[in-house]
Amino acid sequence: MNSFGGSWTIDKMEIVVAYAQAYLTIMNKQAWVKTLYFDGFAGSGHIDNDPPESEDVIKGTALRILEIEDPKSFDLYYFVEKNKKNKNLLEQTIKDQFPNKSTFIVQGDCNQKLESMADYLKKNKQFRALAFIDPYGMSVNWKSIESLKDAGVDLWILVPTGIGVGRLLTQTGKIDDLWLNRLEIFLGMDKEDIRKHFYKRQSSFTLFGEENWIEKEKGAIEKAGILYQEKLKTVFKYVSDSFAMRNSMNVIMYHFMMATNNKAGLKIANDIIKPNYKL
């Protein structure tokens, strides 16, 4: 069973399920379209609310999406889960509760499966996919996101701007090589561009002459959210408003956003985000 991460755990589920409902309503009017739901970090199917706020077990996004019947279900479901125990739990639950649905539950790496899905969609033009990427830390590589260019997919992605990027960006700019490499892979940027984007040179005159140093830009987490939106726009035609998910101290932990090539999808995503969730 997955552990409960905070109020954003419920928020992101509500957003994705609401979008899936609207998505299927639109796709139901296009008889030629086959629909695919892809979850890159599907979990066990349930969330352990720890510390418990109630005795009820919270259903995960995978099961909530599978429950949608009206106006139609997805034609195919593809669930990826790296943890073997969680994968087996999800597989058994789906077998027990949704035996008639066409599901694939695989143990593997989301990056590889995203690239495989991109290839599949480009070869099978009748398919349209809704993908939900809710990663563990900074485990999604930008190369995998780039592979989705020109594929028929709407992508909801949780970007760990505060809990990931913000923590690796040191105040002085002296970043461990392993951290810097992780930032390069995650953002699809080289180290010089990362430094230019998130740091600025400072100088002052003292009794002994001019002193220079590097300092992290203010609002680096917000800048990381905007940067990721802009990078998504190089892959997709449209990117939604960003929902900033904050902890109890009002610090941004994640940015949640949707990317699509469909203008109608953009409107639906923004309509879901704006009225109910603080940006």
Side-chain angles (χ1 to χ4, degrees):
M1 194 175 293
N2 304 95
S3 25
F4 188 78
S7 62
W8 56 78
T9 300
I10 302 299
D11 291 337
K12 68 193 177 190
M13 282 199 298
E14 295 293 342
I15 290 171
V16 172
V17 172
Y19 186 84
Q21 190 78 55
Y23 179 88
L24 289 168
T25 299
I26 292 173
M27 293 303 175
N28 192 46
K29 298 174 183 177
Q30 303 182 50
W32 63 274
V33 172
K34 296 291 184 182
T35 54
L36 165 67
Y37 178 76
F38 177 97
D39 190 330
F41 297 84
S44 65
H46 294 91
I47 299 168
D48 181 13
N49 192 359
D50 185 25
E53 295 176 3
S54 71
E55 295 180 357
D56 296 329
V57 174
I58 300 171
K59 288 181 184 176
T61 309
L63 299 186
R64 294 190 60 183
I65 293 291
L66 280 161
E67 287 178 337
I68 299 175
E69 298 281 354
D70 184 25
K72 62 170 287 185
S73 300
F74 285 90
D75 294 298
L76 290 176
Y77 302 82
Y78 197 92
F79 300 106
V80 183
E81 175 50 48
K82 199 168 186 178
N83 180 281
K84 184 177 181 180
K85 181 180 178 181
N86 285 340
K87 180 259 183 184
N88 289 341
L89 285 169
L90 178 63
E91 192 168 38
Q92 187 60 53
T93 301
I94 291 175
K95 182 180 178 180
D96 293 342
Q97 297 182 19
F98 305 98
N100 298 321
K101 295 203 171 179
S102 297
T103 60
F104 297 85
I105 304 100
V106 298
Q107 183 184 356
D109 179 77
C110 177
N111 290 292
Q112 296 172 358
K113 298 305 180 183
L114 273 174
E115 293 182 27
S116 296
M117 179 181 69
D119 289 340
Y120 182 83
L121 292 173
K122 291 170 188 177
K123 292 174 183 176
N124 297 272
K125 298 293 187 179
Q126 75 274 27
F127 271 92
R128 294 291 182 271
L130 171 58
F132 175 43
I133 308 300
D134 180 11
Y136 307 122
M138 295 167 60
S139 53
V140 176
N141 302 334
W142 179 251
K143 179 185 173 185
S144 305
I145 302 300
E146 268 189 323
S147 73
L148 299 174
K149 189 175 179 64
D150 299 323
V153 57
D154 288 8
L155 172 72
W156 279 99
I157 183 165
L158 188 73
V159 186
T161 47
I163 204 170
V165 176
R167 291 183 180 179
L168 299 191
L169 294 171
T170 63
Q171 194 63 33
T172 63
K174 293 180 180 179
I175 306 173
D176 180 90
D177 285 344
L178 288 175
W179 288 9
L180 192 54
N181 182 250
R182 184 63 249 162
L183 285 166
E184 289 179 300
I185 293 170
F186 179 75
L187 295 172
M189 299 169 67
D190 63 37
K191 58 185 178 183
E192 291 306 317
D193 285 336
I194 290 170
R195 287 195 172 101
K196 286 177 184 177
H197 192 83
F198 291 105
Y199 293 90
K200 60 182 177 181
R201 292 188 177 276
Q202 299 278 35
S203 64
S204 66
F205 289 93
T206 71
L207 179 64
F208 303 106
E210 185 179 13
E211 290 188 1
N212 298 282
W213 69 94
I214 300 295
E215 186 175 271
K216 185 165 71 171
E217 293 270 12
K218 292 182 179 178
I221 295 174
E222 290 88 341
K223 287 194 73 172
I226 294 169
L227 172 64
Y228 210 90
Q229 279 182 297
E230 293 304 312
K231 289 191 67 67
L232 282 174
K233 288 176 183 176
T234 68
V235 180
F236 296 88
K237 290 181 181 178
Y238 309 104
V239 179
S240 75
D241 293 330
S242 180
F243 173 27
M245 297 185 166
R246 303 170 185 268
N247 64 12
S248 58
M249 303 296 290
N250 203 36
V251 175
I252 296 174
M253 307 296 281
Y254 304 93
H255 282 86
F256 193 38
M257 58 193 77
M258 195 276 288
T260 180
N261 293 314
N262 189 301
K263 195 170 184 177
L266 174 70
K267 184 179 185 307
I268 292 168
N270 285 336
D271 286 347
I272 291 171
I273 290 173
K274 285 180 179 178
N276 302 310
Y277 301 96
K278 184 177 180 181
L279 299 180

